[in-house]
Amino acid sequence: DIAQQKAVAFDNVLVQYLRKNKRQIQLTITNPTPCDATIKVLIDANKQTDLQELALLKAIHLTVNAKATKTFTINIPASTVSK
């Protein structure tokens, strides 16, 4: 949730929301598992409309190696920025 500066993780990775500006967010993702993780990041900043049916297809894919922590700076698509 960009407005509340929250990030939610499902499964076995840990996510920490570091900061945001109008065009980018920064997340730290930790993968405590013995396997590399491919993570989909879905950004939804427009609370006035429901997610589009195929929204997950536009998700950003990130990789975090096994037992590693990585920080990512992610550009917020213009179509999801609240005006």
Side-chain angles (χ1 to χ4, degrees):
D1 184 336
I2 288 180
Q4 294 183 14
Q5 298 187 0
K6 289 183 183 176
V8 177
F10 299 97
D11 209 3
N12 294 315
V13 297
L14 307 171
V15 63
Q16 181 181 9
Y17 196 114
L18 297 178
R19 68 180 122 131
K20 157 200 169 234
N21 62 37
K22 234 179 165 24
R23 299 285 175 220
Q24 295 179 323
I25 59 172
Q26 192 172 51
L27 303 173
T28 294
I29 301 174
T30 300
N31 175 12
T33 72
C35 301
D36 293 347
T38 299
I39 299 139
K40 290 183 183 179
V41 177
L42 177 64
I43 298 171
D44 180 27
N46 189 350
K47 290 184 175 268
Q48 296 175 344
T49 60
D50 292 335
L51 279 177
Q52 296 175 356
E53 187 174 321
L54 301 175
L56 198 53
L57 294 178
K58 296 178 185 177
I60 299 160
H61 292 79
L62 307 173
T63 301
V64 179
N65 293 336
K67 306 279 185 190
T69 297
K70 197 167 180 183
T71 299
F72 297 93
T73 300
I74 301 167
N75 293 323
I76 300 171
S79 62
T80 62
V81 175
S82 298
K83 298 190 169 71

